[in-house]
Amino acid sequence: MESMNRVGRLATVREDIARACRDAGRDAGSVTLVAVAKTFAADAVEPVIAAGQRVFGENRVQEAKAKWPPLIARHHGVELHLVGALQSNKAGDAVALFDAIHSVDRENLAAALAKEIARQGRRPLLFAEVNTGGEPQKAGVRPQEADAFLRVCCERHGLTISGLMCIPPVNEAPAPHFALTAKIARRNGLKLLSMGMSADFPTAIAFGATHVRIGTAIFGARG
Ligand SMILES: *Cc1c(COP(=O)(O)O)cnc(C)c1O
């Protein structure tokens, strides 16, 4: 049964995270597994929650809004992370629903989030997304603009950014992208690093990832 497979794959991913932490001389508790459930319905997610997973990721606000409120009501301690792009006009919904937002990448979004955080009195954990590959079609601030962007978020908008997120280009070795993201975080005094997906999370952990975003390796291929 597919639900058994998911529970088995979750256990395998947890073991792989623990091994990568050991290899890097890191505490296994220093890495948060964000199980990315996008495109999978609530009934596919339920057994993974029952198996003890509590932190989940989605990449679209509308999908998350339809799927998660009943799951959150039924299960204790579920934490929801937005890993995909966020439109400024959905900042209110995002602040209301998510415990973390991994995709802060432009000033108008930073401004919209700051306004909603003040209005709602909710403080999701925020990551700035860095486009380490400088890919024109991809979200994220350019590496050379990251320091200035972080300053603007803090000084002009009073936003607390706690870490950085990156998605390396698909056809490149991810290690240099993880290294660059870690370097930008270090020089800006940021402690959290959201990096590593199904194909590359052990490498990301070697470079200091604190949050790995894993979909396929747990839920299977998306349709
Ligand atoms: C879908 C997605 C993931 C998970 O990717 P997998 O390769 O399925 O593990 C991670 N991060 C973001 C931003 C995503 O959109």
Side-chain angles (χ1 to χ4, degrees):
M1 241 175 80
E2 187 58 22
S3 67
M4 286 301 293
N5 290 345
R6 289 194 180 111
V7 170
R9 286 195 295 253
L10 173 68
T12 303
V13 166
R14 290 202 166 285
E15 285 162 20
D16 291 345
I17 290 171
R19 183 180 314 107
C21 285
R22 266 198 312 279
D23 291 349
R26 298 181 53 190
D27 181 357
S30 66
V31 176
T32 298
L33 168 58
V34 182
V36 179
K38 65 186 184 199
T39 78
F40 291 97
D43 63 348
V45 176
E46 197 93 49
V48 176
I49 301 176
Q53 178 63 26
R54 283 297 177 276
V55 183
F56 289 88
E58 289 286 347
N59 73 332
R60 296 177 56 166
V61 175
Q62 289 312 314
E63 180 182 347
K65 235 177 125 175
K67 192 194 298 184
W68 282 95
L71 287 167
I72 289 168
R74 269 203 300 282
H75 299 279
H76 230 49
V78 168
E79 206 181 284
L80 201 56
H81 290 219
L82 180 65
V83 300
L86 176 58
Q87 292 170 261
S88 301
N89 64 6
K90 299 222 174 79
D93 283 343
V95 168
L97 184 59
F98 291 97
D99 301 290
I101 296 171
H102 292 231
S103 50
V104 183
D105 68 349
R106 16 182 237 293
E107 190 177 356
N108 73 338
L109 176 58
L113 287 169
K115 193 172 130 207
E116 288 299 334
I117 286 167
R119 197 175 67 83
Q120 299 185 31
R122 274 181 56 88
R123 298 194 143 272
L125 197 60
L126 301 177
F127 297 77
E129 181 174 353
V130 183
N131 184 354
T132 56
E135 297 173 279
Q137 80 286 7
K138 215 176 237 177
V141 294
R142 301 292 171 122
Q144 61 274 26
E145 289 158 7
D147 296 4
F149 178 66
L150 291 165
R151 257 196 318 276
V152 162
C153 286
C154 174
E155 291 170 12
R156 198 175 295 160
H157 301 286
L159 220 49
T160 301
I161 303 283
S162 301
L164 298 182
M165 184 270 242
C166 76
I167 307 172
V170 276
N171 292 318
E172 285 183 33
H177 297 276
F178 296 150
L180 175 59
T181 305
K183 184 176 145 191
I184 297 169
R186 208 178 308 118
R187 72 174 180 237
N188 285 283
L190 303 181
K191 293 202 162 55
L192 303 181
L193 288 169
S194 169
M195 52 191 205
M197 307 180 13
S198 292
D200 56 18
F201 67 90
T203 306
I205 289 170
F207 282 91
T210 61
H211 291 69
V212 291
R213 311 177 310 268
I214 301 181
T216 312
I218 297 168
F219 290 101
R222 290 180 286 273

